[in-house]
Amino acid sequence: MIRHIFSDMDGTLLSSNGHVSNHNVNTIKDSQIPFTLVSARAPMEMAETIDKLSLKDPQIAFNGGLIFKKTANELQVLRDDPLALEDIKSIIQQVKTNFPSVSCSCYDVDHWYSDKNDAGIKYEAALTEQKIQIIDYDTLFSHDKNFYKIMLITFDNDEMEQLNTFLLNLQNPNISIKRSGKEYLEITSKKAQKSKGIRYIQALEDLLRNEMAAFGDGHNDLPMLTSVGTPIVMDNALAEIKQHGKFITKTNDADGVAYGIKNYLKK
């Protein structure tokens, strides 16, 4: 008996247009199994899906850097692991100096910031329908805020590989560097892991490993997929991700989450 389902969003629950289908919504609701989104996204980018699914359970943002509940009037933080301010300042400065064409932005719990509205920002805004706040980074970091994610976007595969290598060579023990789609590189606290968020909910609800299932498609989903008894991987995932799935479901554009619930979890 599956008592809780965890699901990645982009490339998994959401179709390529960035929205959850009515078929996925209806199937998840009909299953009556508690459902948690586990995403690299910020809470504000998860809000539409949370509302469509009428989710009341804890949700996991920033690859596990923030566990929260969304109510009608507020966002209740249950646990968080923000980036150290000195780390985020240093990384953004080094990226801007060494990779000036890479789109660079960052997030606190409620807002998305950049110092310019470039092609990467416009691409992300079209996908998530969020509005960027343009602000000088020196001004931004002078405020007393917690920041949870740096998002780097490039459409050049060679530049992405160089950027990834550059960041890994910094050997910063406080950060986690994850690819999320071929255009995205996301930096969170080393303490931020999707598996950590799952363990929090597992303890909260007294769940056994074999009572949990998860859907995912990317490298940043592996800690989640390996934390549950029934890992289900999307057909649009890379081969190295598929080998971690107990089942392979349909693609995200073919409502693979709904198919997996009906065929692998409810039978």
Side-chain angles (χ1 to χ4, degrees):
M1 175 69 72
I2 298 299
R3 293 177 53 205
H4 205 114
I5 299 171
F6 301 88
S7 178
D8 175 49
M9 295 184 68
D10 294 282
T12 300
L13 178 64
L14 306 185
S15 60
S16 296
N17 66 8
H19 297 283
V20 59
S21 71
N22 289 332
H23 184 46
N24 274 336
V25 169
N26 293 333
T27 301
I28 290 166
K29 287 184 174 181
D30 290 346
S31 76
Q32 298 185 349
I33 302 173
F35 196 91
T36 292
L37 302 173
V38 188
S39 180
R41 287 188 175 213
M44 59 188 176
E45 298 168 327
M46 302 166 68
E48 176 189 280
T49 305
I50 291 171
D51 291 341
K52 283 186 175 180
L53 292 170
S54 304
L55 299 179
K56 307 300 181 186
D57 298 286
Q59 307 300 311
I60 302 171
F62 299 125
N63 280 334
L66 180 70
I67 305 171
F68 69 98
K69 279 188 177 182
K70 182 181 180 295
T71 66
N73 301 316
E74 65 177 357
L75 185 147
Q76 179 186 359
V77 175
L78 303 177
R79 177 173 179 162
D80 69 337
D81 290 297
L83 283 159
L85 185 58
E86 289 306 312
D87 286 332
I88 196 170
K89 289 167 63 176
S90 173
I91 291 167
I92 287 177
Q93 183 57 54
Q94 292 191 70
V95 169
K96 287 176 66 63
T97 299
N98 293 281
F99 298 90
S101 63
V102 169
S103 177
C104 182
S105 59
C106 64
Y107 294 81
D108 64 16
V109 71
D110 295 313
H111 303 96
W112 176 33
Y113 304 99
S114 182
D115 64 348
K116 58 183 178 180
N117 190 11
D118 57 22
I121 298 300
K122 292 174 182 177
Y123 179 80
E124 176 69 4
L127 180 67
T128 64
E129 300 180 352
Q130 298 299 314
K131 186 175 180 180
I132 190 74
Q133 294 200 18
I134 303 298
I135 187 171
D136 178 79
Y137 282 124
D138 289 337
T139 302
L140 176 63
F141 296 142
S142 67
H143 298 164
D144 185 19
K145 292 176 176 287
N146 284 335
F147 297 93
Y148 296 90
K149 185 175 77 169
I150 302 170
M151 184 168 66
L152 307 173
I153 302 175
T154 175
F155 304 101
D156 184 322
N157 290 333
D158 291 336
E159 185 173 55
M160 175 60 80
E161 294 298 331
Q162 294 166 16
L163 176 63
N164 189 45
T165 299
F166 175 82
L167 292 170
L168 291 173
N169 286 340
L170 294 178
Q171 297 185 337
N172 186 326
N174 303 319
I175 65 172
S176 175
I177 304 164
K178 300 286 187 184
R179 290 281 297 269
S180 178
K182 64 179 183 179
E183 299 94 358
Y184 293 84
L185 196 64
E186 297 175 318
I187 300 170
T188 56
S189 166
K190 189 71 172 180
K191 297 178 182 178
Q193 298 287 339
K194 289 189 174 185
S195 56
K196 197 170 184 178
I198 289 175
R199 287 197 298 271
Y200 177 92
I201 294 172
Q202 182 179 10
L204 188 69
E205 300 182 2
D206 194 24
L207 299 168
L208 299 176
R209 179 186 174 89
N210 63 4
E211 294 175 326
M212 301 185 295
F215 291 86
D217 75 300
H219 290 94
N220 63 338
D221 295 322
L222 290 179
M224 171 180 67
L225 294 169
T226 56
S227 296
V228 303
T230 307
I232 303 174
V233 176
M234 312 304 291
D235 196 37
N236 49 284
L238 296 173
E240 60 261 33
I241 309 300
K242 288 181 179 179
Q243 66 183 358
H244 294 276
K246 182 175 182 179
F247 301 105
I248 307 300
T249 189
K250 294 183 177 182
T251 69
N252 62 315
D253 285 323
D255 297 328
V257 170
Y259 183 88
I261 291 173
K262 288 180 178 180
N263 290 275
Y264 307 134
L265 302 185
K266 295 297 289 182
K267 285 190 175 181

